[in-house]
Amino acid sequence: MESDIEHMLRRLLRPLVAYLMRRGLGYIAFRDLLKRVYVDEALRGHEGDEAPTDSQISVVTGINRREVKRLREIATHPDTAEPRDWMAGVNAAARVVGTWVSAAAFRGPDGAPLPLTTRGEGDDPGFDALLRAAKVDVRARTVIEELERAGVVERLADDRLRLLRTAFTPTEPREKLLFLGANVGDHMRSAFHNLAGETPVFIERALFHNGIGASRLNAARPVLSDMADRLLRQCNEQLLEGNLASTDAAGGDPEREALRRLRLGVYYYETDADDRP
């Protein structure tokens, strides 16, 4: 293995391996999953083409042919197949909150998110209208219950819904894992896209400081968090303007553009100055 690639992999894998060991997941479990991922990615590389043979997959992955055959059989078994959209509920809640804080129709003169009735009354666009604007095809009651469970909304005395936080952040361990996989996975895809010299070049930058006093950092942390929150809301406003963020399927209209997806994220991490990555 090339030394630069090995160095990169060590830095990527160390926090992951440390987490897996804390969860009691050892090398054998990780190795078995890694083999499945190798085979899955080799198959993905042939999508649209004639299905590759087990021998071809074996050559590309370095996994013996018998094991490739076994893993392919497991992948096609209905009991082990991944759900079609395993983040649907989490994404829907996050999209509703993002639209609520970003779309002009759901904000007051001061820019703050308006309290909403369930179906809308008078000048109140209502929660049903919010779901339509967010392109969420789920019953209002289901989404409201999820937002209440997560502590994102509260029901007022007049039965209107008030938004308590400007972002949907998961509270359940499983939801946090789903967010982590989606966010970090796309971050890595962005970096490897740029590493391969593909165009357009994706945003992949970070701010780094070393040796900042703990008290100064304690004071700066909430300010940085607020700045990050405002950046993401402004970006969402830009995408919602003119319905640029439509999630409607392209369908059979040949004049409509192919739809794409994006993820723009901000992350923050701090540790002791002598704790090297």
Side-chain angles (χ1 to χ4, degrees):
M1 184 180 294
E2 297 177 31
S3 59
D4 289 342
I5 294 180
E6 181 177 348
H7 180 67
M8 178 268 294
L9 285 174
R10 284 178 179 271
R11 297 186 70 163
L12 290 179
L13 289 173
R14 276 175 176 156
L16 174 60
V17 170
Y19 172 77
L20 293 178
M21 288 193 296
R22 289 197 301 270
R23 290 292 302 267
L25 297 173
Y27 163 72
I28 299 300
F30 186 41
R31 180 205 64 186
D32 291 345
L33 175 60
L34 194 58
K35 287 194 294 185
R36 287 168 54 190
V37 172
Y38 260 89
V39 172
D40 288 346
E41 286 300 308
L43 291 170
R44 279 168 56 114
H46 286 80
E47 285 182 352
D49 302 329
E50 184 177 349
T53 64
D54 294 342
S55 295
Q56 289 173 312
I57 297 297
S58 177
V59 169
V60 172
T61 63
I63 301 170
N64 71 69
R65 188 170 58 84
R66 181 176 297 178
E67 183 70 353
V68 168
K69 178 179 175 60
R70 185 184 72 85
L71 293 171
R72 293 182 75 170
E73 290 174 350
I74 291 175
T76 58
H77 197 281
D79 293 338
T80 59
E82 280 194 7
R84 184 173 182 181
D85 190 358
W86 47 277
M87 274 198 69
V90 178
N91 280 334
R95 197 158 63 241
V96 166
V97 175
T99 304
W100 199 341
V101 301
S102 302
F106 306 99
R107 294 185 299 168
D110 60 352
L114 291 169
L116 301 177
T117 59
T118 302
R119 298 189 178 279
E121 298 173 358
D123 294 333
D124 178 3
F127 198 81
D128 279 348
L130 174 62
L131 292 182
R132 291 193 295 271
K135 305 298 187 298
V136 172
D137 188 20
V138 180
R139 291 174 56 196
R141 179 178 177 181
T142 302
V143 179
I144 292 170
E145 289 177 350
E146 171 62 21
L147 295 178
E148 287 180 320
R149 182 191 64 79
V152 178
V153 301
E154 68 172 352
R155 198 178 294 269
L156 302 176
D158 59 3
D159 209 35
R160 289 185 303 164
L161 300 167
R162 181 171 69 181
L163 189 66
L164 298 177
R165 301 204 308 264
T166 58
F168 176 84
T169 51
T171 57
E172 298 295 324
R174 179 177 182 272
E175 293 173 349
K176 291 180 180 181
L177 285 172
L178 296 180
F179 257 65
L180 185 150
N183 291 337
V184 176
D186 274 351
H187 188 171
M188 292 181 67
R189 289 182 184 277
S190 173
F192 289 127
H193 168 94
N194 293 341
L195 190 63
E198 302 285 349
T199 55
V201 176
F202 293 148
I203 302 170
E204 215 281 309
R205 304 185 186 101
L207 178 66
F208 177 79
H209 283 280
N210 194 24
I212 299 179
S215 59
R216 292 182 59 194
L217 203 52
N218 288 339
R221 193 183 305 115
V223 178
L224 296 175
S225 178
D226 181 66
M227 293 175 67
D229 184 61
R230 284 189 281 116
L231 169 65
L232 292 178
R233 279 190 283 130
Q234 290 169 2
C235 292
N236 203 33
E237 290 171 15
Q238 177 66 30
L239 292 169
L240 289 170
E241 184 178 338
N243 202 29
L244 292 177
S246 170
T247 57
D248 292 337
D253 188 347
E255 296 183 1
R256 294 190 63 179
E257 291 184 295
L259 297 179
R260 299 179 66 81
R261 71 174 183 89
L262 70 83
R263 187 185 305 273
L264 175 63
V266 178
Y267 72 93
Y268 174 89
Y269 179 71
E270 69 177 67
T271 187
D272 295 337
D274 57 357
D275 183 6
R276 301 297 181 186

